[in-house]
């Protein structure tokens, strides 16, 4: 049900973008006002999120670890699973952000009818799918810089050359666009196929996947099939960047669908699960060294607590304890 409602929502948004791209009044709306509003919501939303995270108190070390913490010198420790120094923590973060290290070790539990009933299996395909999607999208976005900078930066030209290495067809096929869509397709397929994953999937899970697929799909269609006026697109993007927006009439309606869906993504991003992108850097379960055996971390807002010690208690009830024949600490020197 969630999968269907999300799909229908995306279709409505895509059609709205496409139809809007055909009328001159709505072209101006989708080409200028909508992107500005979306960028505004994105920036304010992300700032609000980051400020809220930064203000959250983290008085103790709470890194999630799955390795031996540094303790006695003769006990072998896991340097990057349980980092002790800031340097080791940075390496751990880099492995996480660039290679999704914890996802690599992810397992899934499956209940079977025969044999060992409960099985824990590795889930390397999820790791691979997620990794391919994220890296492909990064390269696609970096390549898109050619629309926003004049002249096109050398690094973008280099990326284009590497990505279009096989020189298939004209225009040259950029593989990361294709792998991005394929990886998203796999991520959607496993969500629909695996009953346990389908059970925990909500509207937002499908919405994010369909939205990204629609953006990649419309981009691919735009590049290889509809073929829009790229000079016009660049005029529009450079106009947006310099706050002198123009909407050339030569740009295809499909481009407006692409741009409208990107605007929806930008506005939706700070309020969705996709915000894990900046969130990972502010996550105390990841960004803290695990040194609580060596350093005593004191809660800074601990107020002095009036305690009632055992000695005081014993003194208070001494008569009653003696009357009941109970042993006393002070007499015997032993703790009860
Ligand atoms: C989340 C952001 C975006 C994603 C994921 C995305 C994705 C894609 C993909 C996969 C393609 C296919 C060709 C390729 O691999 O490069 C494409 C093409 C295209 N995109 Fe995007 N895009 C995004 C944002 C934008 C923005 C902001 C603009 C312009 C304002 C834009 C304009 C275009 C154009 C004009 C094409 C056709 C390229 C050509 O003919 O060479 N895209 N996009």
């Amino acid at each position: 049900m969630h999968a269907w409602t999300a799909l229908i929502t995306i279709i409505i948004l895509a059609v709205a973008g496409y139809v809007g791209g055909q009328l001159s009044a709505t072209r101006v709306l989708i080409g200028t006002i909508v992107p500005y509003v979306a960028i505004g919501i994105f920036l304010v939303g992300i700032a609000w999120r980051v400020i809220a995270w930064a203000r959250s108190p983290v008085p103790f070390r709470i890194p999630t670890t799955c390795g031996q913490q540094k303790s006695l010198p003769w006990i072998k420790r896991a340097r990057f699973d349980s980092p002790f120094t800031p340097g080791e923590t940075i390496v751990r973060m880099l492995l996480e952000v660039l290679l999704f290290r914890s996802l690599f070790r992810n397992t899934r539990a499956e209940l079977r009818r025969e044999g060992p009933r409960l099985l824990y299996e590795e889930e390397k395909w999820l790791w691979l799918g997620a990794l391919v999607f994220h890296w492909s999208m990064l390269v696609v976005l970096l390549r898109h810089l050619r629309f926003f900078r004049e002249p096109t930066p050398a690094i973008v030209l280099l990326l284009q050359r590497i990505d279009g290495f096989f020189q298939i067809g004209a225009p040259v096929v950029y593989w990361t666009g294709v792998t991005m869509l394929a990886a998203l397709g796999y991520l959607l397929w496993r969500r629909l196929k695996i009953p346990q994953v389908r059970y925990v999937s909500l509207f937002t899970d499908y919405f994010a996947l369909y939205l990204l697929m629609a953006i990649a799909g419309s981009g691919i269609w735009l590049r290889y099939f509809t073929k829009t006026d790229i000079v016009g697109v660049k005029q529009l993007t450079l106009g947006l960047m310099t706050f002198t927006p123009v909407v050339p009439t030569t740009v295809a309606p499909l481009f407006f669908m692409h741009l409208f869906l990107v605007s929806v993504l930008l506005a939706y991003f700070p309020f969705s699960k996709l915000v894990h992108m900046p969130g990972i850097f502010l996550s105390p379960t990841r960004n803290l060294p695990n040194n609580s055996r060596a350093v005593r971390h004191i809660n800074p807002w601990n107020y002095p607590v009036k305690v009632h010690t055992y000695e005081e208690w014993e003194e208070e009830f001494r008569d009653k304890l003696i009357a009941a024949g109970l042993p006393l600490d002070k007499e015997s020197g032993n703790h009860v």
Side-chain angles (χ1 to χ4, degrees):
M1 187 62 193
H2 288 315
W4 281 110
T5 39
L7 181 63
I8 292 166
T9 313
I10 292 298
I11 292 175
I12 293 173
L13 289 170
V15 170
Y18 189 79
V19 173
Q22 285 175 323
L23 312 167
S24 55
T26 43
R27 279 166 78 93
V28 175
L29 185 73
I30 295 176
T32 59
I33 297 165
V34 171
Y36 278 139
V37 171
I39 291 169
I41 296 174
F42 177 80
L43 293 177
V44 173
I46 292 288
W48 163 70
R49 281 280 194 173
V50 169
I51 290 169
W53 285 326
R55 289 180 58 189
S56 305
V58 187
F60 303 118
R61 298 284 141 150
I62 53 166
T64 45
T65 62
C66 48
Q68 175 62 48
Q69 186 182 152
K70 181 173 189 265
S71 58
L72 298 168
W74 43 269
I75 297 178
K76 194 166 179 282
R77 73 189 181 103
R79 205 171 261 272
F80 303 124
D81 275 327
S82 195
F84 185 73
T85 62
E88 287 167 7
T89 313
I90 289 172
V91 174
R92 183 190 194 215
M93 281 292 273
L94 286 175
L95 289 172
E96 190 62 36
V97 172
L98 302 177
L99 298 175
F100 303 176
R101 186 165 178 259
S102 60
L103 191 61
F104 184 74
R105 291 182 302 195
N106 179 41
T107 52
R108 71 180 163 128
E110 204 178 293
L111 212 51
R112 297 236 172 123
R113 277 182 205 280
E114 304 102 25
R117 303 289 297 263
L118 184 64
L119 277 187
Y120 287 94
E121 293 174 340
E122 290 195 334
E123 249 212 317
K124 297 289 183 266
W125 285 110
L126 172 63
W127 169 79
L128 190 67
L131 198 72
V132 169
F133 158 64
H134 283 85
W135 273 104
S136 303
M137 180 155 166
L138 178 68
V139 175
V140 166
L141 291 182
L142 288 175
R143 278 197 288 94
H144 271 59
L145 284 179
R146 80 182 194 276
F147 299 128
F148 296 89
R149 296 298 301 271
E150 186 54 47
T152 304
I155 178 80
V156 176
L157 294 174
L158 180 70
L159 266 181
Q160 280 181 188
R161 213 168 308 145
I162 298 171
D163 206 349
F165 179 74
F166 291 111
Q167 295 266 345
I168 296 178
V172 169
V173 173
Y174 291 140
W175 283 101
T176 46
V178 180
T179 51
M180 178 182 161
L181 190 59
L184 283 167
Y186 167 71
L187 295 174
L188 175 67
W189 173 83
R190 76 174 273 286
R191 210 169 260 289
L192 293 168
K193 181 84 183 30
I194 303 171
Q196 294 93 326
V197 184
R198 195 171 59 228
Y199 185 71
V200 294
S201 296
L202 300 173
F203 172 87
T204 49
D205 297 308
Y206 294 109
F207 183 76
L209 281 174
Y210 286 135
L211 183 57
L212 287 162
M213 286 177 88
I215 292 172
S218 57
I220 287 172
W221 201 268
L222 199 58
R223 178 170 171 82
Y224 306 108
F225 304 105
T226 301
K227 299 184 183 158
T228 187
D229 167 30
I230 291 295
V231 178
V233 169
K234 198 152 181 173
Q235 237 179 317
L236 188 147
T237 48
L238 291 178
L240 283 174
M241 298 272 291
T242 50
F243 296 102
T244 49
V246 276
V247 183
T249 48
T250 47
V251 179
L254 191 65
F255 168 77
F256 289 89
M257 176 172 137
H258 190 62
L259 185 61
F260 183 63
L261 292 172
V262 172
S263 303
V264 171
L265 178 69
L266 281 176
Y268 173 67
F269 195 93
F271 314 101
S272 69
K273 65 172 194 174
L274 303 174
V275 80
H276 67 264
M277 184 190 137
I280 178 93
F281 297 99
L282 282 120
S283 170
T285 56
R286 299 272 158 208
N287 68 12
L288 291 172
N290 192 22
N291 60 2
S292 33
R293 278 186 193 155
V295 182
R296 182 156 185 235
H297 301 280
I298 296 171
N299 188 343
W301 63 91
N302 264 354
Y303 54 90
V305 178
K306 171 134 184 39
V307 288
H308 193 218
T309 62
Y310 175 75
E311 286 75 18
E312 287 166 349
W313 182 84
E314 193 181 81
E315 212 43 54
E316 205 179 323
F317 294 99
R318 173 168 288 276
D319 302 343
K320 293 182 180 65
L321 289 166
I322 293 171
L326 292 168
L328 292 171
D329 241 21
K330 229 180 186 177
E331 267 179 9
S332 62
N334 293 326
H335 280 279
V336 188

